[in-house]
Amino acid sequence: MVVCGDDGLAHRLAAELRGVYREQVTLVVPPSGRRVRQPVVGRARAASAALRDMVNAAVNRTGNSDAAGGTGGTGGSGRELEATEPTEDVLADAGVERATALALVYDDDETNIRAALTARRLNPRLRLVLRLYNRRLGQHIEELLDQSAALASGGGPGSGSGSTTVLSDADTAAPALAATALVGTSKVVETDGLLLRAVERNPPRPGEVADPGLCTLALLSATSNDPAGADGSEDSGENGPQLLPDAAAVEAATGRGTVALEQVSYSGPPLPAGRAGVPAFGELFSRRLRWSLAGLAACVVALAVALMVVTGDHPLHATYVTLLDLFSINEPAHNADIGRQILQLLSGFVGLLLLPVLLAAVLEALGTFRSASTLRKPPRGLGGHVVLLGLGKIGTRVLTRLREMDIPVVCVEADPEARGMATARRLRVPVVLGDVTQEGVLEAAKIHRAHSLLALTSVDTTNLEAVLYARSVRSRLRVVLRLYDDDFATAVYRTLRAAHPRALTRSRSVTHLAAPSFAGAMMGRQILGAIPVERRVLLFAAVEVAGHPQLEGKTVGEAFRAGAWRVLALEVSDGERAEGVAPDGTRESRLVWELPDTYVLRGSDRVVLAATRRGLAELLGRRARQQSPG
């Protein structure tokens, strides 16, 4: 495996491949003077992987190779190269011509595309994984590289040509970050129309039966209700979270919350707030102006009725004459009776009042249309909203997710030219321009009435300062921090939870959430998404049953391995009936949920399963490929 990058994702991805999948990795990074500091957890995991490699080597010399590692084979190892750019010579020196997969995770899309084109020419059978923020461009690049690989290998699908996968760390992390900020809205994984929701449920009361949903994904930490507990760590002991427990473990767990899986789908029309059409009448004119127009209209009707009574005219003619007097285009009524003269004077006075009201209506309407394409300010009386700090790559994706769920959002951004400003204008989301560390900026975002705070800027200290200030304003505010350093994130999390035990605090690392998906794509798996359970990660993948003895020919119940993997759904073709799965064959979804434990998995089946990182590595790892013929 070859990993090329210039930030923390490259280091974390290399550590994931070495420590979890036991792969040999060559890491290409910029020179030390130009390199982004490697995250602490990445260095710790790399050191841990190196230590395991030494243990495995010692065990192998004694003929006990299966005693260490847990996934079989030799431990992950590799080397590190320093290069400013991934040129052809650098890629050749990294061994791309002999590599199985290449990950290009530079922060610049153009650099990744240029290197991918070069790598595809050097090795048409290479499995490519690209990190691109532009999703539309990514689709075109993926098709182009796949077509190039098929032509270079002299065949089409099934000829063994390399595949291309385009991912975005922002898209991978955005659902989890958006879901973490909401109470009652769960962690979400969405891809190709599939929407899964993981719901955290409180421990059932005595006599109550917990609703498992489609299945129970995890048992939360036993110390999750302890302000100074280990929640947020990756403790795998008895007190830590248990992923994919069996029925006996769920029944034996008392006083522990659970994470249940639910299937949801979109319903209703698109979000109306995202439309850029003509504003509604209520938004076109202010309430005070609407009352003024209504009062003038009532005066006109009253004058018309009075004129009709005084002169005996037809109602339409009386209204016409009143309007002529109102706009001062009627002849003076100096020869008429006194009643008609008084009504004409009153109509002229009302006409004088009408002119400034009409002018105000025109100016206000023009201002409303102009502000439809500019930034909006937080409306008065706003409450229960989410305050989002930072409109960079991550913040823009999270903003889109929140608006898709119809959640009111107020953004705070210091840079008027930030990447997400156009998205905020399009979605008509209120934005406060200013530095969050300056006094009065969070107050302008109505932080004292907010539901939660998402601090997603690229500076850890800025996020921490904003959260601490927000907590001083509202101690029970729900906060989510984006912190680069995992050790620092854990320390901040525990301190904030101990200081504010009744408030909910979460710290998230984008690279921590994105690395499993990139690593799974390099291993050739179709990763649907990742859901964090405290500070561990649960992967969802679509897998072909053929070639996997742990699945093929076994029932769903026999294929389930607690703490490793679990079959969730069976994919069927349009109109196909899965025998023994459901009584009817007509269904809108191509995924059959709630499979009976007696259903036998066939080699032609394609299933969706949930798995831990190590479980997925064991199920689909290199040892299985080495044992297969050829």
Side-chain angles (χ1 to χ4, degrees), residues 28-343:
V28 180
V29 293
S32 301
R34 302 180 56 182
R35 190 187 313 172
V36 178
R37 181 174 62 89
Q38 180 182 357
V40 172
V41 67
R43 296 196 301 268
R45 288 181 178 175
S48 177
L51 179 60
R52 284 195 299 268
D53 296 341
M54 296 174 61
V55 173
N56 288 337
V59 173
N60 289 336
R61 286 194 296 269
T62 63
N64 238 342
S65 59
D66 290 336
T71 58
T74 58
S77 61
R79 60 191 178 119
E80 181 174 319
L81 300 179
E82 292 188 351
T84 304
E85 293 183 358
T87 61
E88 182 176 350
D89 294 337
V90 171
L91 293 176
D93 189 20
V96 168
E97 297 177 354
R98 305 178 306 275
T100 302
L102 167 66
L104 297 167
V105 292
Y106 289 93
D107 193 47
D108 179 52
D109 287 1
E110 182 180 351
T111 302
N112 293 329
I113 295 174
R114 187 188 303 114
L117 297 174
T118 304
R120 178 60 75 210
R121 179 168 50 84
L122 293 176
N123 186 355
R125 298 180 181 274
L126 182 68
R127 187 181 301 122
L128 283 174
V129 178
L130 278 73
R131 171 190 184 184
L132 294 182
Y133 180 79
N134 191 328
R135 288 178 289 186
R136 180 175 299 179
L137 175 61
Q139 293 176 357
H140 296 308
I141 292 296
E142 186 173 339
E143 295 174 358
L144 175 64
L145 292 174
D146 285 343
Q147 183 178 2
S148 174
L151 293 176
S153 60
S159 62
S161 59
S163 63
T164 305
T165 304
V166 176
L167 298 175
S168 170
D169 55 341
D171 286 332
T172 304
L177 290 171
T180 308
L182 306 175
V183 173
T185 302
S186 313
K187 303 162 186 177
V188 175
V189 172
E190 178 187 10
T191 178
D192 297 332
L194 173 67
L195 190 62
L196 302 176
R197 182 173 62 179
V199 185
E200 290 190 7
R201 304 185 186 276
N202 295 325
R205 298 178 181 178
E208 292 183 351
V209 178
D211 181 13
L214 294 176
C215 69
T216 299
L217 293 177
L219 296 174
L220 298 177
S221 298
T223 57
S224 58
N225 295 323
D226 182 6
D231 187 14
S233 66
E234 295 194 25
D235 179 21
S236 59
E238 296 181 357
N239 293 330
Q242 296 183 20
L243 302 184
L244 302 176
D246 54 17
V250 174
E251 294 178 359
T254 57
R256 299 179 65 169
T258 60
V259 178
L261 181 67
E262 293 182 354
Q263 181 189 11
V264 296
S265 59
Y266 287 124
S267 60
L271 189 66
R275 296 179 300 180
V278 178
F281 181 80
E283 299 180 4
L284 197 60
F285 303 114
S286 65
R287 183 178 181 182
R288 183 178 299 178
L289 185 58
R290 294 198 302 269
W291 277 110
S292 300
L293 291 174
L296 289 175
C299 291
V300 172
V301 173
L303 290 173
V305 172
L307 182 61
M308 182 182 61
V309 173
V310 172
T311 62
D313 289 347
H314 189 272
L316 293 179
H317 185 266
T319 304
Y320 172 70
V321 173
T322 301
L323 291 176
L324 292 178
D325 294 336
L326 191 70
F327 296 113
S328 301
I329 56 177
N330 197 11
E331 295 182 359
H334 56 275
N335 294 325
D337 54 7
I338 188 65
R340 173 73 181 86
Q341 293 177 353
I342 294 175
L343 289 177

